Amino acid sequence: MDRCFPFLLLLLMGTHGLCQQEEVCSKSVINSCRDCIRSGPYCVWCKQLNFTKAGEQEAARCDTRAQLIKRGCKLDEIISPKNNLTIVKEDPLSLSFSQQEPVQLRPQKINLRLRPGLSTTFSVSFKRVQGYPVDLYYLMDLSYSMKDDLENVKELGQDLFAALKSITEHGQIGFGAFVDKTVLPYTNTNEKKLQKPCDENYQQCQAAFGYRHVLSMTKSEVEFKSKVTEQSISGNLDSPEGSLDAMMQAAVCGDKIGWRNSSTRLIVLTTDAGFHMAGDGKLAGILEPNDEHCHMKNNLYTKSTEMDYPSVGQLAMQLAKNNIQPIFAVTQNVEIVYKQLQQMIPNSEVGVLSKNSDNVVKLIQDAYHKLSSKVTLTHVNLPANVSVVYTPKCAHAGPAMASEGVCDKVGAGQEISFEVTVTVASCMENTESFTIRPQGIKDTLTVTLSTNCECECEDPKNSNHPHCKGKGRVSCGICSCSEGFVGQFCECSIGDKDEHSLRASCQRNNGTECEGQGDCVCGRCQCHTTESGSSYHGDFCECDDEHCEKSHNKLCGGNGKCNCGKCECFQGYEGSACQCRKSSAGCQTPNNTVCYGRGTCKCDQCECDEGYQRPKCHECLGCPDPCQTKLNCIECLGFDSGPFKKNCGACSKSIYHEMVDQFPITSKQCHQKDTEGCWITFKLEQLVGKDNYKAEILKRRDCPEPPSVTAIIGGSIASVAVIGILLLMLIKLFIYMKDLKEYRKFENEKKKSKWAEADNPLFKNATTTVENPTFTGE
């Protein structure tokens, strides 16, 4: 027993002390009990008369229960609205299914009246009825690639009904088929192809269609087999099908499909292709969004070519609204696509079909057992300022979550429960309601919600109460004064003045009355006391002596006095929190100055002027280069020229200069061009202060020689001459090239000419030859 005592003690501490949430009342502006209750879930109000002292703010009545009792408020004088839970309807859970409506969720109606921020928890029980009816709608893809699967499904009627009977005696099966929208680019719109979209060699082919409802829910195995046997394959162009169109119509056309009110509703979608969704209709010029309504005529979806495909979100919402759970029986090539779709549609399952769908019955059985054994409790229409947390209480419970509670591996007839915690964040003007329901189950719990934000103080009916000097009535412990009187106890008569002008004189810069730290009594502020017992002060109660800067966790470092939010340091101390002794030892420079005259010494450290760097404010990295800013003064002082020539005395005040023949030590030099174009070389050394320099100026300036006029004129003439010669040569070359071109043209034309070789009878030679007849040649 002695060994158990420490353990029991720790257990009690964890239950009643250490593990409990600390109650805190975060007060803001409190003028009444109503303001107090709205400040936080743990704020309560003391209505006890004379609880506050004269001049003490009425907000002192608002605190946690423990604090008010500690300060002397009687327990029966404390106002603290409570949460109220009323169970309106709680029918017992059904043991088994009968022809009457079974009850699987308890309770069915609850009224909650909650205080904002204060949570309340209630229990919800669920038990799935044994033999609960099942409505199974078999929705099949009849595109050409599913022709082998259709032949197998025609023979599966007996197996499907046998599997359904193994689950419940009250099972029904329906059948529907889909392909895609009968417009381009989804389907060939050629008239012959619309009538027979399959391969030419395949004879059993029906006309193209979007979605067709074939058979409403039936218990007849013969009727199911007859209707399915009549079906034949169809076709389309692209790979994705209009499966979302078909599922939407099957969900919203309840009267056509034959869904029962009390049943587990399943849609089994069998396909070997992906799906079109919202936005794909634009490819066919279909811009009207899906309206989520039923458009069935003669068992055909009539708006297939007029409305876009539904979005996944739209489909998920309608499936949940109509308590329908989809089972996607798909081939392996599109398994990943439908696994991703499963994540977006609650209470859905995916199974992999064999090549010819011969395993579809086992697939449906496995998927049904997974869906029925997992119970997910969630909510709809939750108001914006309300939060809900579900904590499952079962053998295979999921974590506590705000969106849903999950229990897995729950058998039929097994009762489980959920702890539901509801919290309202703020006060609500009107009554709100929301619904809690298990996904895929019709049963619901309606929670009607209102808030408790008012104080029920049971005030005395006397309108001239003695506590208020006979000039007002008591409201939750404080005085509500009659017209013409103001003050904590209605002790001030406002006379000729109106109350507004009196209160305005208690406001600084049209702000809060007495800064919220005092009461306006007859036009003057009567300041309240602080939590430590001292008083606010100032004409508008704007000052207190408790909120100055701290050092070493002491107000003003213990070396000063706090006055109206600022530290007044004792002699020998300084700093915003009086944290430093007055000293300039750390600010001394080698030339025995403080911060080189370019800063102030505070807390034994230099606070430098803008641009200068710590620790001693010696250099200014961000300042303009003095070589450029002091150039005009250097030119004036050293060479009596430049823009400051007539007012050189102004420069001598900030620059002490010396002319030198050469610099004794090589160091940084300034080399700048003056107004006469000469290069000046000088050195600057900054003395104590910001604009105080010593300058050493080299006596000799480097002035460039003036240009030679003769050389310039001669060079100009020579340049003109050379350019002229070059132009003449260029013109000559151009003329030569042109003549050469003409000559060649003449030569070519001459070669092409053909002349007769006969002699001209009129032609006479210009030479005459005379021969000597006596000449013998010797």
Side-chain angles (χ1 to χ4, degrees):
M1 181 67 185
D2 293 338
R3 294 180 180 177
C4 295
F5 180 74
F7 173 76
L8 292 172
L9 181 61
L10 288 173
L11 184 63
L12 288 170
M13 291 174 67
T15 306
H16 299 288
L18 296 179
C19 294
Q20 285 187 329
Q21 183 180 0
E22 183 182 359
E23 294 186 357
V24 177
C25 176
S26 302
K27 297 181 286 186
S28 53
V29 179
I30 306 296
N31 294 316
S32 65
C33 177
R34 189 170 185 266
D35 293 340
C36 176
I37 298 305
R38 290 170 177 249
S39 295
Y42 301 111
C43 290
V44 298
W45 179 265
C46 180
K47 68 172 184 175
Q48 183 174 307
L49 298 182
N50 297 316
F51 178 74
T52 54
K53 300 173 184 177
E56 187 178 10
Q57 55 184 339
E58 295 294 353
R61 294 178 178 274
C62 183
D63 213 324
T64 62
R65 184 185 299 271
Q67 289 296 323
L68 290 181
I69 293 174
K70 183 178 179 182
R71 292 174 52 202
C73 186
K74 297 178 182 179
L75 192 60
D76 58 351
E77 297 286 345
I78 292 177
I79 303 299
S80 178
K82 304 292 184 183
N83 289 342
N84 185 23
L85 185 151
T86 305
I87 298 177
V88 179
K89 184 178 181 182
E90 190 176 18
D91 294 338
L93 299 175
S94 301
L95 299 176
S96 60
F97 177 76
S98 62
Q99 296 303 320
Q100 296 180 349
E101 190 79 18
V103 177
Q104 300 182 101
L105 190 70
R106 179 177 61 89
Q108 293 81 41
K109 286 185 180 180
I110 285 181
N111 288 348
L112 295 179
R113 182 172 170 82
L114 303 182
R115 180 174 175 179
L118 200 61
S119 302
T120 191
T121 301
F122 57 88
S123 180
V124 177
S125 300
F126 174 83
K127 182 169 69 173
R128 188 183 297 276
V129 173
Q130 290 184 341
Y132 193 65
V134 175
D135 287 342
L136 188 151
Y137 191 68
Y138 198 99
L139 190 57
M140 185 171 184
D141 176 6
L142 289 187
S143 59
Y144 186 71
S145 57
M146 294 284 288
K147 60 181 184 297
D148 295 336
D149 303 76
L150 177 60
E151 296 304 318
N152 276 328
V153 171
K154 290 178 180 179
E155 305 298 327
L156 289 177
Q158 183 177 354
D159 295 337
L160 275 174
F161 275 91
L164 201 58
K165 286 180 181 178
S166 68
I167 297 171
T168 176
E169 292 295 325
H170 309 281
Q172 293 188 148
I173 298 181
F175 189 85
F178 67 91
V179 183
D180 208 346
K181 296 184 183 294
T182 56
V183 290
L184 282 172
Y186 317 116
T187 305
N188 192 332
T189 54
N190 181 281
E191 188 174 347
K192 291 183 179 180
K193 279 293 184 181
L194 280 174
Q195 295 302 317
K196 187 179 179 182
C198 310
D199 186 67
E200 292 182 359
N201 298 325
Y202 198 83
Q203 298 301 319
Q204 295 181 346
C205 181
Q206 63 173 315
F209 65 95
Y211 162 65
R212 174 181 287 116
H213 170 56
V214 177
L215 175 65
S216 297
M217 294 294 173
T218 180
K219 296 181 180 180
S220 171
E221 180 183 333
V222 176
E223 186 180 6
F224 177 81
K225 184 174 183 180
S226 172
K227 287 291 185 181
V228 174
T229 304
E230 293 174 2
Q231 301 306 305
S232 55
I233 214 70
S234 186
N236 63 331
L237 290 177
D238 63 342
S239 176
E241 315 295 3
S243 47
L244 298 195
D245 258 348
M247 290 182 71
M248 175 62 78
Q249 291 302 301
V252 298
C253 298
D255 56 336
K256 306 284 185 183
I257 305 300
W259 300 114
R260 288 175 288 184
N261 288 332
S262 299
S263 66
T264 299
R265 301 176 178 182
L266 303 175
I267 289 180
V268 179
L269 180 81
T270 58
T271 182
D272 63 349
F275 51 87
H276 284 294
M277 54 184 168
D280 289 353
K282 292 180 180 180
L283 296 172
I286 302 173
L287 303 179
E288 184 178 352
N290 195 285
D291 63 1
E292 303 176 39
H293 292 160
C294 181
H295 299 285
M296 297 282 289
K297 187 175 181 180
N298 297 326
N299 290 334
L300 278 174
Y301 176 33
T302 57
K303 296 284 186 179
S304 175
T305 59
E306 300 174 25
M307 283 188 180
D308 197 2
Y309 302 95
S311 67
V312 174
Q314 286 178 307
L315 179 61
M317 184 174 67
Q318 288 300 331
L319 290 173
K321 182 179 178 181
N322 292 282
N323 300 316
I324 298 173
Q325 303 172 77
I327 298 173
F328 301 108
V330 298
T331 52
Q332 193 169 11
N333 62 307
V334 290
E335 180 188 6
I336 296 176
V337 175
Y338 284 88
K339 285 282 188 184
Q340 293 172 344
L341 182 62
Q342 180 191 11
Q343 302 301 316
M344 294 181 278
I345 298 181
N347 270 35
S348 60
E349 283 293 331
V350 176
V352 179
L353 281 173
S354 60
K355 290 184 179 180
N356 56 4
S357 297
D358 57 0
N359 67 332
V360 69
V361 175
K362 185 176 184 307
L363 188 154
I364 293 172
Q365 283 180 311
D366 294 343
Y368 172 77
H369 288 307
K370 284 183 182 179
L371 289 172
S372 61
S373 64
K374 182 178 180 181
V375 179
T376 302
L377 197 68
T378 186
H379 52 257
V380 292
N381 302 323
L382 189 70
N385 61 336
V386 179
S387 61
V388 180
V389 175
Y390 298 94
T391 305
K393 300 293 181 182
C394 53
H396 299 88
M401 292 191 296
S403 58
E404 61 186 21
V406 178
C407 278
D408 206 355
K409 300 180 181 178
V410 180
Q414 179 184 350
E415 185 174 342
I416 58 173
S417 65
F418 298 84
E419 296 292 331
V420 182
T421 302
V422 182
T423 309
V424 180
S426 59
C427 295
M428 299 187 302
E429 297 297 329
N430 302 314
T431 301
E432 304 274 0
S433 65
F434 64 96
T435 302
I436 295 175
R437 66 191 307 170
Q439 288 182 354
I441 304 295
K442 182 187 176 185
D443 297 65
T444 60
L445 164 60
T446 301
V447 180
T448 303
L449 192 62
S450 61
T451 52
N452 192 0
C453 298
E454 303 301 327
C455 296
E456 298 178 0
C457 295
E458 299 179 357
D459 297 318
K461 298 180 179 179
N462 188 359
S463 60
N464 296 307
H465 200 277
H467 179 71
C468 303
K469 309 298 183 186
K471 303 294 189 298
R473 60 182 180 84
V474 174
S475 175
C476 289
I478 61 176
C479 287
S480 177
C481 301
S482 302
E483 188 177 355
F485 295 91
V486 293
Q488 186 176 7
F489 301 104
C490 307
E491 70 275 17
C492 179
S493 174
I494 61 177
D496 296 334
K497 296 183 179 180
D498 62 275
E499 185 178 358
H500 178 74
S501 60
L502 280 174
R503 293 190 178 278
S505 62
C506 295
Q507 299 174 358
R508 182 174 62 165
N509 300 326
N510 295 323
T512 306
E513 186 177 293
C514 298
E515 299 295 323
Q517 298 168 160
D519 295 317
C520 186
V521 179
C522 298
R524 294 181 61 85
C525 286
Q526 286 187 357
C527 300
H528 299 149
T529 56
T530 63
E531 293 181 358
S532 64
S534 62
S535 296
Y536 295 101
H537 57 92
D539 292 339
F540 303 97
C541 305
E542 72 275 14
C543 295
D544 72 85
D545 301 335
E546 297 178 353
H547 290 86
C548 287
E549 191 175 340
K550 291 184 178 181
S551 177
H552 300 292
N553 205 29
K554 293 181 180 179
L555 202 65
C556 298
N559 304 314
K561 179 183 177 183
C562 181
N563 184 17
C564 201
K566 291 186 178 180
C567 287
E568 295 177 351
C569 300
F570 299 147
Q571 188 174 359
Y573 290 90
E574 63 180 349
S576 59
C578 304
Q579 71 273 28
C580 310
R581 286 186 176 274
K582 282 188 177 180
S583 173
S584 61
C587 303
Q588 294 290 328
T589 63
N591 60 0
N592 203 28
T593 63
V594 176
C595 304
Y596 285 103
R598 298 189 278 274
T600 56
C601 189
K602 291 184 179 180
C603 287
D604 212 24
Q605 289 184 340
C606 287
E607 289 189 2
C608 302
D609 295 337
E610 186 178 2
Y612 290 93
Q613 305 296 309
R614 285 184 174 183
K616 299 296 178 63
C617 313
H618 185 248
E619 295 181 351
C620 182
L621 300 179
C623 297
D625 186 5
C627 290
Q628 297 181 2
T629 58
K630 301 299 181 183
L631 174 61
N632 291 333
C633 280
I634 294 296
E635 184 181 359
C636 172
L637 293 171
F639 304 100
D640 196 26
S641 62
F644 292 167
K645 180 178 180 180
K646 295 181 179 180
N647 190 23
C648 210
C651 294
S652 59
K653 294 179 181 179
S654 61
I655 299 177
Y656 164 71
H657 76 285
E658 181 182 354
M659 304 298 294
V660 297
D661 295 321
Q662 62 180 8
F663 298 122
I665 302 174
T666 303
S667 61
K668 183 180 177 182
Q669 301 175 2
C670 300
H671 194 63
Q672 301 288 330
K673 183 181 285 189
D674 62 13
T675 55
E676 297 178 355
C678 297
W679 291 93
I680 302 175
T681 304
F682 59 95
K683 292 172 64 177
L684 283 175
E685 179 185 355
Q686 191 171 14
L687 304 177
V688 177
K690 292 181 68 174
D691 194 22
N692 190 16
Y693 292 88
K694 177 184 176 182
E696 292 182 352
I697 307 172
L698 209 59
K699 293 179 179 179
R700 185 175 58 84
R701 291 188 294 178
D702 295 332
C703 297
E705 296 181 1
S708 174
V709 177
T710 306
I712 293 173
I713 294 174
S716 300
I717 294 172
S719 299
V720 171
V722 170
I723 292 171
I725 292 171
L726 289 174
L727 285 173
L728 289 173
M729 292 178 67
L730 189 63
I731 293 170
K732 183 66 177 175
L733 179 62
F734 178 73
I735 294 172
Y736 173 75
M737 295 299 293
K738 185 177 180 182
D739 290 346
L740 182 62
K741 183 178 179 182
E742 291 293 331
Y743 177 74
R744 287 178 177 171
K745 183 178 178 182
F746 170 75
E747 287 292 330
N748 288 335
E749 289 179 352
K750 184 178 177 182
K751 288 178 181 178
K752 294 177 183 178
S753 301
K754 294 183 179 180
W755 301 94
E757 295 183 358
D759 292 333
N760 187 352
L762 299 179
F763 177 74
K764 289 186 177 182
N765 200 335
T767 58
T768 303
T769 303
V770 180
E771 294 182 0
N772 188 356
T774 59
F775 180 67
T776 60
E778 295 179 358

